[in-house]
Amino acid sequence: MSEVVLQDVAKHYGDAVAVRNMTLRIADGELVALLGPSGCGKTTTLRMIAGFVDATSGRISVGGRDVTGLPPNRRNMGMVFQNYALFPHMTVAQNVAFGLEMRKVSRADAGKRVREALARVRLGQYGDRLPKQLSGGQQQRVALARALVIEPDVLLLDEPLSNLDAALRHEMKIEIRQLQQSLGLTTVFVTHDQDEAMSTADRMVLMYQGGVEQIGPPAEVFGRPRTAFAAGFLGIPNLLAGRMTPDRAGFAFEAGPTVRLQGQPPIAGRAFLALRPEEISLSTEPPATGRNALAGRVEIMTYHGSAVEYQLRTDAGPMLSARLRAPGLGGQPVLPGGTAVWAHWAPEAGVLVNEH
Ligand SMILES: Nc1ncnc2c1ncn2[C@@H]1O[C@H](COP(=O)(O)OP(=O)(O)OP(=O)(O)O)[C@@H](O)[C@H]1O
Ligand SMILES: [Mg+2]
């Protein structure tokens, strides 16, 4: 069993807090993605788990064993660094064998394990090459083989796909997920890319300013962001400030009008209505009753292949983004800048989120 538990783990650099009171339980065989913007503490968290950074406070355990004070080589973890960190003067096979030599594994045994690890990442024929003779994706796979060859209890990946092009990134993230599942490896995957987190993780930890903002299965976090930061980071640009009405059936925008809510948990105090651009429809006539509607004007219209995006000025506060199907694909005729419109949506499409 290699369940990883972080209990109130923090890292301070002088007065600066890189990670604040992080408590997280990663189940045996689970893949957890740490997701968040630059500087939110993802790498610091990963390095504390690996032992490269000492926690200022808190405890870390693996499989019930407290590893908080142990150096990296006594934690039996495999780590892939963002920049691969391969040794340029060593061959692929020597790079992969490095961790085994450190562990005093016999030469014959090491040779066999290196061959197996390279085969697993489909680089069986590349053992004698130097890293510079490989493509970026192949180098990334060498780094993965090097992390796996020691048969780690835990696999730690720090933005492992960030230097790859889109196609290779897609292929590699599927490969990593398959390997992780077939080996049943407890894995922490750091990324700032929500698609990567979405398509690989069992659970996602959204981090913000050194703390945990939200934890859950990706579909749940995407579908129900709990804070304005989470909603914005997960790609919902429309966040309209206001408050629930006392009967909890409506939302009064700070800027004036009130709309209806449906299926939203109660939130006391200032909150935001998060609206996905795809949920908003536009019409030049008032919409049917039952829809929430705001009167406004098209400010900017831009084409995006199969969609047309509108920036709208309404009386509910900040500019509103709406994304409609392009006319050539069955969407309505384009509404040029300056057109007076109604922006409308189904009450259940609005997600109510906390300010913090
Ligand atoms: N050795 C250090 N000394 C001082 N501050 C540090 C040190 N390492 C990290 N920090 C600070 O801690 C915070 C978290 O850094 P960290 O590298 O964990 O962020 P990150 O989420 O991995 O960001 P990125 O997505 O850019 O890699 C940042 O504000 C950073 O400047
Ligand atoms: Mg980082």
Side-chain angles (χ1 to χ4, degrees), residues 37-44 47 82 158-159 190-192:
S38 186
C40 72
K42 305 180 295 294
T43 294
T44 305
R47 285 176 173 262
Q82 183 170 346
D158 193 355
E159 310 248 8
V190 164
T191 178
H192 60 265

Side-chain angles (χ1 to χ4, degrees), residues 131-352:
K132 68 177 182 207
Q133 297 168 318
L134 300 179
S135 73
Q138 289 166 336
Q139 291 183 44
Q140 193 68 75
R141 300 216 292 270
V142 175
L144 194 58
R146 188 174 59 179
L148 293 172
V149 77
I150 62 165
E151 294 173 6
D153 294 326
V154 180
L155 180 63
L156 304 172
L157 306 168
D158 193 355
E159 310 248 8
L161 311 178
S162 58
N163 293 336
L164 308 180
D165 67 37
L168 202 52
R169 182 183 289 226
H170 182 71
E171 200 177 296
M172 277 295 292
K173 80 182 171 198
I174 294 169
E175 263 178 52
I176 287 176
R177 179 58 161 163
Q178 282 173 340
L179 260 174
Q180 180 267 335
Q181 288 193 319
S182 65
L183 298 172
L185 255 180
T186 308
T187 300
V188 186
F189 186 138
V190 164
T191 178
H192 60 265
D193 181 312
Q194 43 175 296
D195 283 341
E196 261 169 50
M198 183 87 179
S199 53
T200 55
D202 295 305
R203 278 188 309 151
M204 199 163 95
V205 178
L206 181 58
M207 292 183 68
Y208 179 50
Q209 293 183 344
V212 172
E213 190 78 357
Q214 192 167 348
I215 300 183
E220 182 188 302
V221 177
F222 277 89
R224 279 234 148 259
R226 278 206 304 263
T227 63
F229 165 76
F233 187 77
L234 298 174
I236 307 182
N238 299 315
L239 293 165
L240 305 171
R243 279 166 197 278
M244 256 187 161
T245 54
D247 66 1
R248 294 178 178 172
F251 188 75
F253 295 121
E254 283 175 359
T258 296
V259 294
R260 287 199 301 127
L261 292 175
Q262 201 168 304
Q264 298 301 308
I267 292 182
R270 193 168 192 249
F272 289 83
L273 188 68
L275 269 178
R276 293 179 200 276
E278 304 77 35
E279 303 281 5
I280 299 177
S281 303
L282 300 180
S283 60
T284 49
E285 299 294 324
T289 52
R291 304 274 294 172
N292 280 327
L294 293 169
R297 186 171 294 280
V298 173
E299 199 86 359
I300 301 168
M301 181 274 293
T302 45
Y303 284 104
H304 295 269
S306 59
V308 182
E309 201 163 296
Y310 294 94
Q311 304 303 319
L312 309 159
R313 178 78 59 197
T314 73
D315 47 6
M319 201 86 94
L320 214 56
S321 294
R323 197 174 171 89
L324 276 68
R325 194 186 302 207
L329 295 164
Q332 68 194 59
V334 163
L335 302 162
T339 310
V341 292
W342 292 91
H344 54 97
W345 65 94
E348 63 271 22
V351 178
L352 205 57

Side-chain angles (χ1 to χ4, degrees), residues 85-91 95 130-132:
L86 299 179
F87 302 112
H89 58 286
M90 291 186 190
T91 65
N95 263 282
L130 290 171
K132 68 177 182 207

